[in-house]
Amino acid sequence: MSKPCLVRLAKGADLLAELARVAAEHEIQWGTVSVIGALVRAKTAFYHQDERRYEAHLWDEPLEILHGVGNISLRDGKPFVHLHLTLSRADGSAVGGHAEQGCEIFAAEAAITPQDGAPGVRVFDEPTGLFLWAPR
Ligand code: ZN
């Protein structure tokens, strides 16, 4: 088991892109992600299982990242960050979902923990309509 890579993410950057950039910089293609901090705005999504489609939610307001949890694996041969966010609004209420491009970082601290072994590879999964890890 490798040690976690603890990093401060860049203000103004897109959260998913910044996590992918840091993972690539550290040559991590397979690992877990944990992140806390704050966002200027966020975009999350909810997957409607019956309709097999994501519904986007835009949160155009400052938010705390109570917890971002996810993983890094390969999709189309490139490292892909899958992240879920629990966020708090100014009044303390919580929202969240599957993180999409469009989460602008105000400040964020991430722990990326590389995993040993061959990276998981995402492939289309017909029963769910999602890109899930191929069975090994
Ligand atoms: Zn998801």
Side-chain angles (χ1 to χ4, degrees):
M1 178 73 71
S2 305
K3 291 199 309 187
C5 165
L6 293 162
V7 289
R8 188 182 98 177
L9 304 179
K11 185 177 189 296
D14 182 88
L15 181 60
L16 288 176
E18 180 70 349
L19 286 168
R21 186 192 66 73
V22 170
E25 187 179 298
H26 292 83
E27 299 181 342
I28 300 170
Q29 297 186 326
W30 180 226
T32 56
V33 176
S34 177
V35 60
I36 59 170
L39 299 173
V40 174
R41 64 183 57 81
K43 184 177 177 186
T44 60
F46 179 88
Y47 190 67
H48 288 281
Q49 298 170 15
D50 50 348
E51 299 167 27
R52 297 162 66 105
R53 69 171 180 89
Y54 280 102
E55 178 183 355
H57 295 284
L58 295 170
W59 312 101
D60 195 9
E61 61 194 85
L63 299 147
E64 294 282 341
I65 304 173
L66 303 182
H67 193 204
V69 62
N71 53 61
I72 297 166
S73 56
L74 292 177
R75 179 171 166 180
D76 299 326
K78 287 182 279 194
F80 174 82
V81 178
H82 184 198
L83 186 74
H84 284 197
L85 291 169
T86 305
L87 305 166
S88 108
R89 309 174 94 166
D91 68 1
S93 63
V95 295
H98 171 96
E100 295 275 357
Q101 298 278 339
C103 296
E104 183 184 334
I105 296 168
F106 178 75
E109 298 168 343
I112 303 176
T113 305
Q115 300 297 303
D116 294 331
V121 175
R122 291 190 178 277
V123 294
F124 183 72
D125 178 68
E126 180 54 40
T128 61
L130 296 166
F131 283 82
L132 303 178
W133 291 330
R136 341 172 155 225

Short mmCIF file of all heavy atoms in Angstrom, two decimals, residues 54 82-84 98-99, ligand 1:
data_model
loop_
_atom_site.label_atom_id
_atom_site.label_comp_id
_atom_site.label_asym_id
_atom_site.label_seq_id
_atom_site.Cartn_x
_atom_site.Cartn_y
_atom_site.Cartn_z
N TYR A 54 -28.41 11.27 -16.36
CA TYR A 54 -28.06 12.17 -15.26
C TYR A 54 -28.89 13.45 -15.37
O TYR A 54 -29.06 14.00 -16.45
CB TYR A 54 -26.58 12.55 -15.31
CG TYR A 54 -25.66 11.50 -14.74
CD1 TYR A 54 -24.94 10.66 -15.57
CD2 TYR A 54 -25.50 11.37 -13.37
CE1 TYR A 54 -24.07 9.70 -15.05
CE2 TYR A 54 -24.64 10.43 -12.83
CZ TYR A 54 -23.93 9.59 -13.67
OH TYR A 54 -23.08 8.65 -13.14
N HIS A 82 -13.68 9.82 -10.47
CA HIS A 82 -15.10 9.66 -10.12
C HIS A 82 -15.23 10.17 -8.69
O HIS A 82 -14.62 9.63 -7.78
CB HIS A 82 -15.50 8.19 -10.24
CG HIS A 82 -16.96 7.96 -9.99
ND1 HIS A 82 -17.47 6.72 -9.68
CD2 HIS A 82 -18.02 8.80 -10.00
CE1 HIS A 82 -18.78 6.82 -9.52
NE2 HIS A 82 -19.14 8.07 -9.70
N LEU A 83 -16.03 11.23 -8.52
CA LEU A 83 -16.11 11.90 -7.22
C LEU A 83 -17.56 12.19 -6.85
O LEU A 83 -18.34 12.65 -7.68
CB LEU A 83 -15.33 13.22 -7.31
CG LEU A 83 -15.18 14.00 -6.01
CD1 LEU A 83 -14.15 13.33 -5.11
CD2 LEU A 83 -14.76 15.44 -6.32
N HIS A 84 -17.90 11.93 -5.60
CA HIS A 84 -19.20 12.33 -5.06
C HIS A 84 -18.95 13.38 -3.99
O HIS A 84 -17.98 13.30 -3.23
CB HIS A 84 -19.95 11.14 -4.49
CG HIS A 84 -20.54 10.26 -5.55
ND1 HIS A 84 -21.52 9.34 -5.32
CD2 HIS A 84 -20.27 10.18 -6.89
CE1 HIS A 84 -21.85 8.73 -6.44
NE2 HIS A 84 -21.10 9.21 -7.42
N HIS A 98 -23.19 13.42 -7.57
CA HIS A 98 -22.07 13.00 -8.43
C HIS A 98 -21.44 14.29 -8.99
O HIS A 98 -22.14 15.09 -9.62
CB HIS A 98 -22.67 12.12 -9.52
CG HIS A 98 -21.76 11.75 -10.63
ND1 HIS A 98 -21.07 10.56 -10.66
CD2 HIS A 98 -21.45 12.40 -11.78
CE1 HIS A 98 -20.37 10.49 -11.79
NE2 HIS A 98 -20.59 11.59 -12.48
N ALA A 99 -20.16 14.50 -8.73
CA ALA A 99 -19.50 15.74 -9.16
C ALA A 99 -19.35 15.77 -10.68
O ALA A 99 -18.98 14.78 -11.30
CB ALA A 99 -18.13 15.87 -8.51
ZN ZN B 1 -21.03 8.92 -9.49
#
